[in-house]
């Protein structure tokens, strides 16, 4: 028997390095007597315990990384260090929903969709989504807390928001799938529930390179089915329409062209579609998409962006929204606003959000699903806000409240040693007038946003309250039935009162006389009206009497 080497290999054979398992077995077989040789006992040294891991602070916050543990990979951390990212590419299918409408010839499909609880999605989806606006809010989303970290605290989208904005069910059976769907299973599901052939199903999934189907393929194959078709074809078309609907709205993915076949299983029994908690599934899916988009290398945002954009309009109406005056309260709140692309750049929206502070004219929810006892108040702040004294101190330590670093801001500066803009801190000199103006504007906007169907008492009561606020009287003593007293003659009215109630002092002057044209061979001067007023707030208004005289030189014929 050939002699063995120390590693267990025969002499003459090439030596190899022992594997990790062999090393572990060798350590287990080794016996050490601690009493005889205390230094021989190996004590594993760990730099830090995983259960008690300590995170150092990040420039700009958070100071304490016990909550935002993955903040190093967050887009806000990269922006603070000098990097930047262009506005996200948005996946919005609001225009595609108009390509498959259920008219009178498809009334049977429409009835089934109406019973499913998803009919409101066909009309409330925004056709336009603002890239700078949604990108700026995505930069404030924190995956660990599933909230937007604002300068004044945390905010998030709730199930109450989903039910009010979309009018879809938020309670019911949970939507979940145990495992991903294989391509072969997806083909079998298409054949069983949509009535396609094996060849058509295989060709479609191969083109998508995943267990998915294109939205265009669903429209081309099932949008032509009417009530005159067979019962089986109507059932197939209804399932295809619902799959197309959730693929364009609730579960819009980053492919921007397809929808996963796994959702087709939810429409196997059409009578049970309305029993699912679609709102909860939509909100969870949007949370996941926002979490993915917070990574610096991600360039696209999926999910139902109508929900996110309408939520921003609802909670920040003074900054970004444009109300629809024809809105009625029986419709989803997403239709209360006119979707539009804001003219601001991403940099501008970042700075506006960094300057945002607690506002006293944020009002209560008035017509939501939950009761006042269950819901509480939305943002009815007084003083420093409705929170315990320890919350804001804790929030300052664990959050990243300001996205734009001070040296990269444009248009405003910061106080020494403070991460907030200097002009956001109100002084005692202008606090009263600014609060009165803000409160009065809030009441006026509330009436305007309410639409035309409000009673006359609502308009009369709001007018009385605005008068009392601008007059400087106690707001709580203003009655909705009797007009507020006029300001006393001996008291000095506030600037807001003078601005709102003072009669106009500008009198349009008579047109200026035009001098006769000069006696020459040149044609008479052309009077050009003054240019319109500039939209810049700091630009002075043009003089109405001013005009510009332009002389036109005539061409003389050369003498021959």
């Amino acid at each position: 028997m050939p002699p063995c080497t120390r590693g267990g290999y025969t002499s003459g054979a090439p030596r190899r390095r022992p594997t990790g398992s062999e090393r572990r077995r060798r350590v287990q077989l080794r016996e050490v007597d601690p009493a005889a040789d205390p230094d021989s006992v190996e004590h594993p040294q760990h730099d830090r315990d995983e259960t008690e891991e300590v995170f150092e602070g990040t420039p700009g916050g958070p100071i304490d990384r016990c909550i935002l543990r993955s903040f190093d990979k967050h887009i806000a951390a990269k922006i603070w260090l000098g990097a930047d990212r262009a506005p996200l590419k948005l996946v919005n299918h609001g225009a595609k929903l108009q390509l498959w409408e259920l008219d009178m010839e498809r009334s049977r499909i429409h009835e089934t969709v109406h019973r499913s609880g998803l009919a409101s999605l066909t009309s409330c989806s925004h056709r336009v989504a603002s890239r700078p606006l949604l990108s700026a809010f995505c930069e404030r989303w924190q995956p660990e807390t599933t909230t937007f970290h604002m300068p004044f605290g945390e905010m998030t989208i709730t199930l109450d928001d989903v039910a009010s904005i979309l009018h879809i069910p938020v309670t019911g059976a949970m939507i979940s799938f145990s495992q991903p769907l294989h391509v072969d299973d997806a083909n079998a599901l298409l054949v069983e529930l949509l009535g396609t052939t094996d060849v058509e199903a295989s060709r479609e999934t191969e083109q998508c390179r995943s267990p998915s189907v294109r939205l265009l393929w669903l429209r081309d194959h099932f949008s032509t089915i009417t009530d005159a078709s067979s019962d089986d074809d109507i059932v197939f078309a209804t399932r295809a329409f619902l799959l197309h609907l959730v693929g364009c709205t609730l579960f819009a993915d980053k492919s921007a062209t397809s929808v996963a076949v796994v959702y087709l299983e939810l429409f196997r029994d059409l009578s049970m579609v309305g029993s699912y908690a679609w709102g909860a599934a939509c909100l969870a899916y949007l949370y996941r998409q926002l979490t993915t988009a917070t990574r610096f290398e991600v360039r696209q945002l999926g999910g139902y962006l109508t929900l996110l954009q309408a939520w921003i309009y609802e909670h920040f109406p003074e900054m970004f929204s444009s109300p629809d005056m024809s809105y009625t309260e029986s419709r989803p709140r997403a239709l209360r606003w006119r979707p539009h692309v804001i003219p601001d750049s991403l940099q501008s929206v970042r700075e506006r959000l960094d300057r945002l502070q607690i506002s006293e004219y944020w009002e209560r929810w008035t017509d939501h699903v939950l009761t006042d006892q269950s819901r509480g108040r939305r943002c009815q702040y007084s003083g420093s806000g409705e929170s315990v004294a320890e919350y804001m101190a804790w929030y300052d330590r664990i959050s990243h409240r300001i996205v734009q670093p001070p040296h990269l801001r444009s248009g405003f500066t910061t106080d020494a040693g403070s991460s907030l803009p200097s002009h956001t801190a109100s002084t005692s000199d202008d606090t009263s007038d600014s609060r009165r103006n803000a409160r009065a504007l809030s009441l006026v906007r509330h009436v305007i946003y309410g639409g035309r169907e409000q009673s006359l008492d609502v308009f009369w009561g709001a007018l009385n309250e605005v008068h009392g606020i601008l007059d400087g009287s106690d707001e709580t003593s203003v009655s909705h039935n009797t007009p507020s007293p006029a300001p006393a003659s001996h008291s000095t009215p506030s600037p807001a009162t003078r601005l709102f109630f003072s009669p106009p002092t500008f009198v349009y002057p008579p047109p200026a006389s035009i001098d006769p044209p000069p006696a020459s061979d040149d044609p008479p001067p052309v009077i050009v009206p003054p240019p319109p007023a500039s939209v810049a707030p700091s630009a002075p208004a043009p003089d109405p009497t001013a005009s510009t005289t332009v002389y036109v030189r005539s061409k003389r014929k050369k003498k021959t």
Side-chain angles (χ1 to χ4, degrees):
M1 181 176 180
C4 295
T5 61
R6 182 180 178 184
Y9 307 107
T10 59
S11 60
R15 297 184 60 181
R16 65 180 181 86
R17 183 173 298 178
T19 61
S21 60
E22 292 174 347
R23 292 194 187 98
R24 287 191 295 269
R25 287 196 301 268
R26 187 179 303 169
V27 171
Q28 293 174 359
L29 294 176
R30 182 181 177 185
E31 296 182 359
V32 178
D33 187 4
D37 188 6
D39 297 334
S40 62
V41 179
E42 297 183 359
H43 300 280
Q45 300 293 331
H46 299 284
D47 295 337
R48 59 182 61 179
D49 190 3
E50 295 181 357
T51 60
E52 298 180 357
E53 192 169 3
V54 179
F55 292 89
E56 298 180 355
T58 303
I63 301 174
D64 188 353
R65 293 276 302 279
C66 64
I67 302 297
L68 307 183
R69 299 195 174 191
S70 62
F71 188 73
D72 289 338
K73 301 179 181 179
H74 200 280
I75 175 61
K78 305 297 183 181
I79 294 175
W80 192 269
L81 296 178
D84 203 351
R85 183 178 69 178
L88 295 170
K89 179 182 178 182
L90 305 180
V91 180
N92 185 37
H93 300 294
K96 294 181 181 179
L97 292 174
Q98 310 300 324
L99 302 177
W100 192 351
E101 296 183 348
L102 300 179
D103 50 15
M104 297 300 297
E105 296 181 356
R106 297 165 180 83
S107 59
R108 296 178 61 182
I109 301 177
H110 183 272
E111 292 176 359
T112 306
V113 173
H114 182 73
R115 291 194 301 268
S116 68
L118 302 175
S120 60
L121 299 178
T122 61
S123 60
C124 69
S125 298
H126 292 173
R127 300 187 63 177
V128 178
S130 179
R131 294 179 62 190
L133 179 62
L134 301 188
S135 300
F137 271 86
C138 183
E139 294 170 355
R140 293 185 170 275
W141 179 262
Q142 296 298 338
E144 288 83 357
T145 59
T146 61
T147 56
F148 296 100
H149 282 210
M150 311 301 291
F152 50 82
E154 299 174 85
M155 299 180 68
T156 193
I157 310 173
T158 64
L159 289 177
D160 187 30
D161 295 321
V162 177
S164 302
I165 293 173
L166 303 180
H167 280 195
I168 59 176
V170 296
T171 59
M174 182 179 63
I175 297 177
S176 63
F177 303 99
S178 58
Q179 57 186 359
L181 192 65
H182 193 267
V183 175
D184 295 336
D185 298 332
N187 295 336
L189 208 59
L190 292 174
V191 173
E192 179 185 1
L193 300 182
L194 294 185
T196 62
T197 62
D198 293 332
V199 177
E200 291 177 343
S202 301
R203 186 186 300 118
E204 182 60 24
T205 53
E206 288 177 2
Q207 183 168 353
C208 294
R209 298 181 180 180
S210 64
S212 306
V213 293
R214 292 171 299 158
L215 301 172
L216 178 61
W217 181 82
L218 292 173
R219 293 195 299 268
D220 291 342
H221 283 72
F222 300 97
S223 63
T224 57
I225 296 178
T226 62
D227 293 343
S229 304
S230 63
D231 294 341
D232 292 340
D233 290 341
I234 293 177
V235 173
F236 295 152
T238 304
R239 291 172 178 157
F241 180 86
L242 292 173
L243 181 62
H244 180 273
L245 181 61
V246 299
C248 291
T249 55
L250 305 183
F251 308 123
D253 55 25
K254 295 182 181 180
S255 67
T257 57
S258 60
V259 56
V261 181
V262 67
Y263 301 120
L264 191 59
E265 186 66 37
L266 302 173
F267 310 123
R268 177 182 294 274
D269 188 355
L270 294 177
S271 62
M272 298 297 295
V273 176
S275 63
Y276 291 108
W278 294 102
C282 172
L283 186 59
Y285 189 83
L286 181 60
Y287 279 7
R288 182 182 301 176
Q289 295 296 321
L290 287 171
T291 298
T292 304
T294 57
R295 296 298 177 249
F296 178 74
E297 64 276 4
V298 178
R299 297 293 184 268
Q300 199 172 9
L301 177 61
Y304 196 20
L305 301 185
T306 296
L307 173 61
L308 176 59
Q309 186 167 256
W311 180 85
I312 297 174
Y313 290 162
E314 284 282 339
H315 288 263
F316 305 91
E318 293 81 11
M319 297 183 62
F320 308 107
S321 62
S322 176
D324 187 355
M325 299 305 297
S326 62
Y327 170 77
T328 57
E329 294 296 338
S330 60
R331 305 164 68 190
R333 302 283 290 203
L335 299 175
R336 186 184 181 187
W337 314 102
R338 296 180 184 273
H340 62 285
V341 178
I342 60 175
D344 304 73
S345 62
L346 177 57
Q347 171 79 5
S348 177
V349 179
R350 286 173 183 168
E351 296 183 10
R352 292 176 67 183
L353 293 179
D354 284 342
R355 295 194 300 265
L356 191 62
Q357 295 297 298
I358 293 176
S359 175
E360 291 189 353
Y361 50 82
W362 286 357
E363 301 173 356
R364 296 172 179 262
W365 287 116
T366 56
D367 51 358
H368 273 220
V369 176
L370 300 179
T371 61
D372 291 340
Q373 291 76 13
S374 302
R375 182 178 64 249
R377 288 190 287 179
R378 174 195 178 194
C379 287
Q380 186 72 22
Y381 286 96
S382 60
S384 61
E386 281 188 351
S387 61
V388 295
E390 296 82 4
Y391 169 75
M392 289 308 300
W394 172 84
Y395 179 72
D396 290 341
R397 295 181 66 254
I398 62 94
S399 67
H400 186 80
R401 301 188 301 149
I402 306 300
V403 173
Q404 197 69 26
H407 65 280
L408 295 180
R409 293 173 185 162
S410 59
F412 63 98
T413 58
T414 59
D415 292 328
S418 174
S419 60
L420 291 177
S422 59
H423 67 273
T424 57
S426 59
T427 61
S428 58
D429 298 335
D430 59 351
T431 300
S432 58
D433 284 338
S434 61
R435 289 182 176 179
R436 276 198 293 264
N437 288 333
R439 180 63 179 169
L441 288 176
S442 174
L443 291 172
V444 172
R445 289 192 181 98
H446 182 76
V447 175
I448 293 176
Y449 297 161
R452 304 177 181 177
E453 298 184 358
Q454 300 177 100
S455 62
L456 185 60
D457 295 337
V458 175
F459 292 95
W460 180 251
L463 182 60
N464 286 333
E465 289 193 26
V466 169
H467 182 276
I469 293 171
L470 298 182
D471 184 34
S473 59
D474 188 8
E475 300 178 21
T476 58
S477 62
V478 178
S479 174
H480 292 269
N481 299 323
T482 59
S484 300
S489 58
H490 62 274
S491 61
T492 302
S494 64
T497 304
R498 293 196 300 268
L499 176 65
F500 195 82
F501 291 105
S502 299
T505 57
F506 176 79
V507 179
Y508 200 88
S513 60
I514 301 176
D515 297 334
S520 63
D521 296 337
D522 294 335
V526 179
I527 305 300
V528 180
S534 174
V535 296
S538 59
D543 187 2
T545 63
S547 60
T548 305
T549 305
V550 180
Y551 290 91
V552 181
R553 183 179 298 277
S554 63
K555 295 183 179 180
R556 299 180 182 273
K557 294 182 179 180
K558 294 182 179 180
K559 294 182 179 180
T560 57

